[in-house]
Amino acid sequence: MSKPVIAIVGRPNVGKSTLFNKLIGERRSIVEDIPGVTRDRIYGETEWCGRKLSVIDTGGIEPKADDIILKQMRFQAQVAVDTADVIIFMCDVRTGLTADDRDIAIMLQKSGKPIIPCINKCDSVGALPLEFYEFYELGFACEPIAVSSVHGSGTGDLLDAVLEAIPDFDETDEDDDAIHVAVIGKPNAGKSSIINRILGEERLIVSDIAGTTRDAVDTHIENEHGKFVFIDTAGIRRSAKVNEKIEKYSVLRAHMAVERADVCLIMIDAATGITEQDEKIAGIAHEAGKASIVVVNKWDSIEKDNSTTNSFTQKIRTALAYMPYAPIVYVSAKTGQRVQTLFDHIQYVHNQANTRISTGMLNDVLSDAMMRAQPPSDKGRRLKIYYMTQVSVAPPTFVLFCNNVELFHFSYQRYIENCLRDTFGFKGTPIRLVIRMKGDDTND
């Protein structure tokens, strides 16, 4: 299910990160009284009147700044504007309407997106300061909304205005019975090429310039394997001057694509090998609990001997040590080598992620596991595990009830997870173990 995307933009130090933290209900963005502390977009989620919203916090825009960091921040903010369905344009009532505010307003109006002027630091109870009314000069369709991001006042009116700007946003998927597959990876890893090869046509633009795909593109496929929706994620905007910092744009897109996906294809470029950026993007799928397949593309482009595949596999397993469950498939989008096998892998890991195990079978495995390796003890107290039950799928999530949560060490949790995998498979999907003391409510 896709959520509307809201970007918070404005010049530095107007309170964007404070508002972001208030909206998502946690302190995720760094907040300091120093302009430019938030250099990159931060991604989070909120809910208002039953509607779920994705929120992007951005670095401040200084339209005429020459400093390289400020230029990067300006570009990051522009990317957020391009990504958003609605833009919250934040200003500071204490400084009044500035020349930079006017320049940013012109930039935002060119985007064609709905703009909500948000005038921050209206902290006083009662009449609004006279400076507030200056912001009507910006001429947006939506009237300025007074907020105090520190105290949270006015944020309800702000979110009401956001929802009013997106009344017809479709939050339903056209193919509820299709498997949604996010194709994620760093720019130029071959995401669009893979989908084109699967389709057998040049549906998506393919170029050797990193970042040709500007927006996420959904491709619907129905074949003998079933119904699929492939989500091709955006790379970096074309520019000879784009700095490597801008690769973080692909991380933002990966977040939003993964959110909608049932299965993630994590694309690795065989020519460059696995990189830190690949690790970060794969981690998004893992943390989201999504079934995943590591797809090594351009396998035709490298010289191979008898140990090449094993060596490459070992490097991936070392870099992605947190997801040993993900199968690795070596393909070539250019030649079509093994591309069609991806459908079988996708179906398989999707089924694994949606597997349900009866409580009786789970506790047979648990009893056998505890007989083979006794639960840990500490200072004379031994962990007792009473029983285990499955509470959800995608990812498979199990609650284990015990006498003392603190005694349930991570290493023993990993042991129980490995026992579950040895018995039931769960290949391609993360497993979640929730540890509770007996008597705790499992529904919170």
Side-chain angles (χ1 to χ4, degrees):
M1 180 180 290
S2 181
K3 300 183 185 74
V5 178
I6 317 303
I8 306 172
V9 301
R11 57 187 174 80
N13 210 31
V14 295
K16 297 182 299 299
S17 295
T18 305
L19 175 65
F20 174 84
N21 290 336
K22 186 68 69 175
L23 292 181
I24 69 168
E26 59 182 282
R27 191 179 173 86
R28 190 177 302 180
S29 279
I30 301 169
V31 179
E32 295 288 351
D33 287 330
I34 304 169
V37 168
T38 307
R39 291 185 179 175
D40 300 308
R41 294 170 316 285
I42 309 292
Y43 174 85
E45 296 177 5
T46 190
E47 186 172 341
W48 185 250
C49 296
R51 300 283 297 275
K52 291 184 178 180
L53 306 169
S54 298
V55 187
I56 306 170
D57 182 23
T58 66
I61 304 173
E62 291 200 11
K64 297 171 184 173
D66 293 325
D67 179 270
I68 186 64
I69 296 296
L70 293 174
K71 283 183 177 179
Q72 290 169 4
M73 290 162 59
R74 185 167 63 226
F75 183 85
Q76 293 278 327
Q78 181 62 59
V79 165
V81 168
D82 293 343
T83 303
D85 298 297
V86 176
I87 299 159
I88 294 175
F89 174 31
M90 200 163 194
C91 302
D92 183 346
V93 76
R94 294 177 186 171
T95 58
L97 183 60
T98 68
D100 280 351
D101 289 328
R102 295 179 192 276
D103 290 341
I104 295 168
I106 292 169
M107 182 192 86
L108 296 180
Q109 284 170 328
K110 290 178 181 177
S111 73
K113 305 288 180 71
I115 314 294
I116 314 295
C118 170
I119 315 308
N120 192 28
K121 305 183 184 178
C122 296
D123 302 328
S124 302
V125 178
L128 292 168
L130 292 176
E131 291 82 3
F132 174 82
Y133 298 96
E134 296 177 3
F135 294 94
Y136 279 84
E137 295 178 25
L138 295 173
F140 291 115
C142 177
E143 293 189 356
I145 296 173
V147 304
S148 170
S149 57
V150 171
H151 301 113
S153 60
T155 53
D157 292 337
L158 180 65
L159 290 172
D160 284 341
V162 167
L163 292 188
E164 193 173 328
I166 48 171
D168 300 321
F169 194 92
D170 183 11
E171 293 191 59
T172 61
D173 288 317
E174 293 179 22
D175 290 315
D176 289 336
D177 57 339
I179 300 176
H180 286 66
V181 184
V183 186
I184 61 175
K186 66 180 186 291
N188 209 29
K191 301 185 292 295
S192 298
S193 299
I194 278 287
I195 297 177
N196 284 338
R197 173 60 67 172
I198 288 170
L199 284 169
E201 59 181 275
E202 294 298 311
R203 175 82 57 95
L204 302 174
I205 299 170
V206 177
S207 166
D208 288 334
I209 301 173
T212 302
T213 308
R214 285 293 302 279
D215 298 303
V217 179
D218 286 4
T219 302
H220 299 250
I221 298 172
E222 186 169 0
N223 57 22
E224 67 273 18
H225 301 280
K227 294 171 71 176
F228 304 86
V229 177
F230 284 85
I231 308 164
D232 182 28
T233 52
I236 305 171
R237 176 160 66 179
R238 288 194 198 190
S239 172
K241 299 178 181 177
V242 169
N243 186 281
E244 66 272 8
K245 287 251 182 188
I246 309 307
E247 285 198 357
K248 291 180 180 176
Y249 181 27
S250 59
V251 176
L252 174 71
R253 273 299 182 189
H255 267 294
M256 288 188 279
V258 166
E259 176 188 301
R260 299 169 50 204
D262 302 306
V263 175
C264 294
L265 300 185
I266 302 164
M267 300 292 297
I268 308 294
D269 186 339
T272 60
I274 189 160
T275 66
E276 185 178 346
Q277 183 79 351
D278 294 317
E279 293 176 37
K280 183 179 292 186
I281 292 172
I284 294 168
H286 174 73
E287 290 298 321
K290 302 294 182 176
S292 297
I293 302 164
V294 177
V295 181
V296 182
N297 189 28
K298 307 181 187 178
W299 193 238
D300 61 305
S301 67
I302 62 172
E303 293 186 13
K304 292 177 278 292
D305 56 32
N306 292 336
S307 64
T308 304
T309 301
N310 287 338
S311 175
F312 209 101
T313 297
Q314 185 56 48
K315 289 177 182 176
I316 291 174
R317 291 299 181 207
T318 300
L320 305 183
Y322 52 84
M323 52 190 314
Y325 53 82
I328 302 171
V329 184
Y330 293 88
V331 305
S332 168
K334 183 177 180 180
T335 67
Q337 181 185 22
R338 284 188 288 274
V339 169
Q340 288 302 314
T341 67
L342 290 175
F343 286 109
D344 290 331
H345 287 287
I346 291 166
Q347 286 274 21
Y348 182 70
V349 300
H350 181 255
N351 290 338
Q352 291 284 292
N354 286 277
T355 298
R356 281 194 179 273
I357 309 297
S358 71
T359 299
M361 293 178 69
L362 286 174
N363 286 286
D364 287 344
V365 171
L366 179 62
S367 296
D368 183 63
M370 288 190 294
M371 286 180 62
R372 286 188 283 125
Q374 199 171 36
S377 61
D378 182 43
K379 297 177 181 176
R381 298 178 302 160
R382 181 166 298 280
L383 172 68
K384 293 180 181 179
I385 308 172
Y386 299 112
Y387 68 97
M388 172 169 53
T389 188
Q390 185 173 0
V391 293
S392 64
V393 296
T397 302
F398 306 91
V399 175
L400 293 93
F401 290 91
C402 65
N403 63 330
N404 190 319
V405 173
E406 292 180 0
L407 292 175
F408 211 134
H409 300 156
F410 173 78
S411 59
Y412 203 72
Q413 290 183 41
R414 179 58 59 87
Y415 166 66
I416 296 296
E417 178 182 332
N418 289 338
C419 289
L420 289 172
R421 290 190 184 278
D422 290 343
T423 306
F424 302 113
F426 295 119
K427 189 172 178 62
T429 179
I431 289 176
R432 299 284 186 259
L433 299 183
V434 180
I435 313 302
R436 295 271 169 79
M437 288 183 65
K438 192 172 182 182
D440 282 357
D441 184 2
T442 62
N443 296 319
D444 57 77

